[in-house]
Amino acid sequence: MTTRKRANDDKLPIRMLHDRVLVALDPEGGERKSSAGILIPATAQMGRRLAWAKVVAVGANVRTVEVDDRVLFDPEDRAEVEVRGDDYVLLRERDLHAVAAGRLEDGQTGLYL
């Protein structure tokens, strides 16, 4: 009977709370090219680097980010979570450094910049 209850729990809707943002990391493609065309191998050590991710869910108190926006954040300040077999990162809105979205107007600096 516990197996049946567990299967039903997996299908429950999930709502983000407060100022939380759930994001899916952009796939990292191993080798990269610099803007000058230099090939950087996947094994190269890099310093602290921010990461881009796509927003998949937002809490009720999130003001500047919407679902499907791309956001820039520090991957060292993250909490990973698995939801229905997919890996996501849970962040607070204040931990985001930038938002990239077509709906943003030129000249706006955003709330947290």
Side-chain angles (χ1 to χ4, degrees), residues 2-14 82-85:
T2 57
T3 306
R4 182 176 178 177
K5 183 179 180 192
R6 175 119 170 100
N8 289 340
D9 288 346
D10 290 342
K11 297 180 188 231
L12 289 175
I14 298 171
E82 183 178 333
V83 178
R84 297 184 182 109

Side-chain angles (χ1 to χ4, degrees), residues 7-62:
N8 289 340
D9 288 346
D10 290 342
K11 297 180 188 231
L12 289 175
I14 298 171
R15 177 179 296 154
M16 301 302 297
L17 300 177
H18 310 296
D19 66 340
R20 301 305 195 271
V21 179
L22 190 68
V23 299
L25 287 175
D26 287 348
E28 295 182 19
E31 293 183 344
R32 298 180 316 275
K33 273 193 178 178
S34 71
S35 59
I38 299 171
L39 185 64
I40 303 169
T43 57
Q45 280 288 349
M46 299 213 28
R48 186 170 172 170
R49 184 178 176 100
L50 299 178
W52 286 100
K54 180 179 176 185
V55 176
V56 294
V58 296
N61 295 337
V62 174

Side-chain angles (χ1 to χ4, degrees), residues 58-87:
V58 296
N61 295 337
V62 174
R63 298 181 284 179
T64 58
V65 181
E66 294 179 7
V67 173
D68 292 329
D69 286 353
R70 291 188 69 223
V71 293
L72 186 66
F73 71 99
D74 185 352
E76 292 181 11
D77 299 333
R78 68 181 186 183
E80 294 184 12
V81 63
E82 183 178 333
V83 178
R84 297 184 182 109
D86 294 322
D87 292 326

